[in-house]
Amino acid sequence: DQQVKQNSPSLSVQEGRISILNCDYTNSMFDYFLWYKKYPAEGPTFLISISSIKDKNEDGRFTVFLNKSAKHLSLHIVPSQPGDSAVYFCAAYDYNFNKFYFGSGTKLNVKP
Amino acid sequence: EAQVTQNPRYLITVTGKKLTVTCSQNMNHEYMSWYRQDPGLGLRQIYYSMNVEVTDKGDVPEGYKVSRKEKRNFPLILESPSPNQTSLYFCASSRTGTGGGGYTFGSGTRLTVV
């Protein structure tokens, strides 16, 4: 049973607009939530994270929002650029088990 | 440059022929892990190691073995590969207990078992 779910396999956005990628989780004990970006033929690279005690973390064009009551997090990319086209994985970290749980990924296509 | 190096990048093999995928990291990380990526299933953990000589099963360990004799190396061994092990494999490392910083991943090994 997947503890981290990304229900949208793909998303298409126009360059310059906002991209919103969503992720849901089931375990309220997760300590951190992370987003990874993956280009074809490369490994995932760490993008941004948020502690479970916060509700927002911002890094340049990337902002992650955490809604603990809904067990939902989202990644906002503003403005979106063609170079952002990639697969984005959501992940959650359980400190007690030192383990990361990954979602199935969302493929983002930013059209010029 | 801090990195995780996997070899080979691509491998086609036949059912039952033992193979090893190597993984090495140069960041002195204690924690290392192997994942496989399959369409619609995301990244699933095969095995992990919290330090030298300490390994444990992840979510999908069947058909795989690992060893951690040195801190930097964490090879993945398929004793008798089968077609259902055709997948994209990633090795990853991190400092133990630093969940907020995430993993450093290797570039992946695409394995095909025929």
Side-chain angles (χ1 to χ4, degrees), chain A residues 44-104:
Chain A
T45 55
F46 170 73
L47 189 58
I48 190 169
S49 66
I50 185 168
S51 164
S52 61
I53 63 173
K54 296 189 175 181
D55 54 20
K56 178 182 175 181
N57 188 27
E58 202 170 343
D59 183 2
R61 297 186 296 114
F62 302 91
T63 303
V64 57
F65 295 93
L66 177 63
N67 182 335
K68 288 185 286 293
S69 60
K71 295 192 177 70
H72 177 85
L73 69 153
S74 60
L75 175 69
H76 292 210
I77 306 173
V78 183
S80 301
Q81 299 173 354
D84 296 328
S85 296
V87 176
Y88 289 79
F89 288 100
C90 167
Y93 176 72
D94 187 334
Y95 179 83
N96 290 321
F97 295 96
N98 195 39
K99 182 167 181 169
F100 292 93
Y101 297 86
F102 286 86
S104 54

Side-chain angles (χ1 to χ4, degrees), chain B residues 20-94:
Chain B
T20 299
V21 184
T22 63
C23 173
S24 180
Q25 51 95 2
N26 63 0
M27 296 162 283
N28 204 35
H29 286 165
E30 299 89 6
Y31 189 92
M32 297 185 75
S33 185
W34 277 100
Y35 286 83
R36 59 179 287 174
Q37 182 191 354
D38 301 290
L41 297 175
L43 292 159
R44 294 182 294 167
Q45 191 178 48
I46 303 170
Y47 268 94
Y48 65 95
S49 167
M50 298 192 74
N51 216 323
V52 177
E53 302 291 1
V54 180
T55 64
D56 211 343
K57 296 177 181 178
D59 300 312
V60 288
E62 294 79 19
Y64 304 95
K65 283 176 58 177
V66 293
S67 69
R68 188 92 182 271
K69 294 185 171 57
E70 306 163 281
K71 199 171 188 179
R72 62 184 293 125
N73 295 323
F74 191 46
L76 179 70
I77 303 155
L78 285 74
E79 295 268 359
S80 183
S82 62
N84 65 11
Q85 292 178 297
T86 292
S87 188
L88 180 57
Y89 291 86
F90 290 102
C91 180
S93 72
S94 72

Side-chain angles (χ1 to χ4, degrees), chain B residues 89-106:
Chain B
Y89 291 86
F90 290 102
C91 180
S93 72
S94 72
R95 292 205 328 266
T96 300
T98 56
Y103 281 129
T104 300
F105 280 91

